[in-house]
Amino acid sequence: MTMTKKPTDIRKREIIDTARDLIIHQGIKALTMKNLSSKMKISEPALYRHFDNKRAILGALIEDFEGTLSDGVAQSIASTVDPIEQLKEIMKAHLFLSERKKGIFFAITSESIHFKDKVLTKKVLDVVRRYQLKIRSILEQARQQKEVRPETDLEVASLAFFGLIQTCIILYSLTNYTVFPLNKAEVLWEIFLRGIQA
């Protein structure tokens, strides 16, 4: 019996999901083409037909995370037009996603910094900047509606928003996924809100 060749998009999805699983359970060092092909029970040449190397797979993981986060953000703010409520919902959605994805973005960020990988670093930085711009835009709306103090530095505030979330995700990763970020959502939100609220 011959195996049916899977469509490229399905195979790529499987590779990305398996790579994420390897990183979560064995650490980022375990992500090699050899380990990946072994775990997927396919040949290394079959992997190379879809991704040139480990860096390309990590890049795909970054893009996948950003896509999922963007979808989560869009869904979380769809039910309200109030910018402050939107920020609260974004924080919860981000914490939920990071919990579900086991802090994968943090792991790849650490890898790109440690190995001074300029390509991955740029990809990570671009994701952070786009996220920060989204938060800043919502903060600007809140300030126009006088829900945020007029003297608030929106650049710093958007960075603080991201930083509070990332600190929880780092702790989650370092405690072998036992300190759940979503459990801290209300406290984080109150801290952030007190810092900006008019």
Side-chain angles (χ1 to χ4, degrees), residues 28-29 106-117 121:
I28 206 155
K29 286 182 180 177
F106 165 67
I108 298 170
T109 301
S110 301
E111 170 88 349
S112 63
I113 293 169
H114 181 73
F115 289 103
K116 300 186 183 345
D117 189 309
T121 299

Side-chain angles (χ1 to χ4, degrees), residues 120-137:
L120 286 179
T121 299
K122 184 180 184 311
K123 270 188 174 288
V124 169
L125 193 55
D126 286 347
V127 171
V128 173
R129 283 177 174 157
R130 282 189 289 268
Y131 182 89
Q132 202 180 344
L133 279 171
K134 177 69 177 174
I135 301 305
R136 182 179 174 142
S137 170

Side-chain angles (χ1 to χ4, degrees), residues 3 11 27 30 33-34 51 61 89 98 110 128 142 170 183 191:
M3 283 184 70
R11 181 61 83 191
M33 299 305 259
K34 182 179 179 181
F51 293 100
L61 278 165
E89 291 306 312
S98 295
S110 301
V128 173
I170 291 168
N183 290 348
I191 290 169

Side-chain angles (χ1 to χ4, degrees), residues 20-164:
R20 183 187 302 111
D21 191 58
L22 261 175
I23 292 170
I24 289 167
H25 294 103
Q26 298 180 42
I28 206 155
K29 286 182 180 177
L31 181 59
T32 64
M33 299 305 259
K34 182 179 179 181
N35 286 347
L36 202 49
S37 66
S38 174
K39 190 168 178 64
M40 294 185 70
K41 297 181 174 47
I42 61 173
S43 67
E44 284 188 57
L47 273 182
Y48 282 108
R49 279 198 290 273
H50 300 287
F51 293 100
D52 291 339
N53 48 38
K54 174 181 173 176
R55 177 200 273 169
I57 294 171
L58 289 171
L61 278 165
I62 292 169
E63 290 165 12
D64 182 65
F65 177 84
E66 183 178 24
T68 308
L69 180 59
S70 295
D71 290 345
V73 166
Q75 288 172 18
S76 69
I77 65 176
S79 60
T80 179
V81 294
D82 178 69
I84 292 295
E85 280 301 309
Q86 286 183 342
L87 288 169
K88 184 177 183 180
E89 291 306 312
I90 288 172
M91 182 176 277
K92 286 196 293 188
H94 191 162
L95 288 167
F96 171 76
L97 174 64
S98 295
E99 197 170 292
R100 191 162 59 87
K101 298 280 185 178
K102 303 284 189 186
I104 194 73
F105 189 70
F106 165 67
I108 298 170
T109 301
S110 301
E111 170 88 349
S112 63
I113 293 169
H114 181 73
F115 289 103
K116 300 186 183 345
D117 189 309
K118 291 181 180 178
V119 173
L120 286 179
T121 299
K122 184 180 184 311
K123 270 188 174 288
V124 169
L125 193 55
D126 286 347
V127 171
V128 173
R129 283 177 174 157
R130 282 189 289 268
Y131 182 89
Q132 202 180 344
L133 279 171
K134 177 69 177 174
I135 301 305
R136 182 179 174 142
S137 170
I138 296 172
L139 282 166
E140 182 61 55
Q141 291 173 42
R143 185 158 69 182
Q144 288 170 7
Q145 294 177 23
K146 303 190 185 316
E147 294 185 88
V148 168
R149 290 195 302 274
E151 72 275 13
T152 303
D153 185 323
L154 301 187
E155 183 73 17
V156 173
S158 63
L159 191 61
F161 184 92
F162 182 76
L164 284 168

Side-chain angles (χ1 to χ4, degrees), residues 12-21 51 60-61 64:
K12 278 192 166 185
R13 177 80 263 159
E14 288 177 349
I15 293 168
I16 290 167
D17 290 343
T18 306
R20 183 187 302 111
D21 191 58
F51 293 100
L61 278 165
D64 182 65

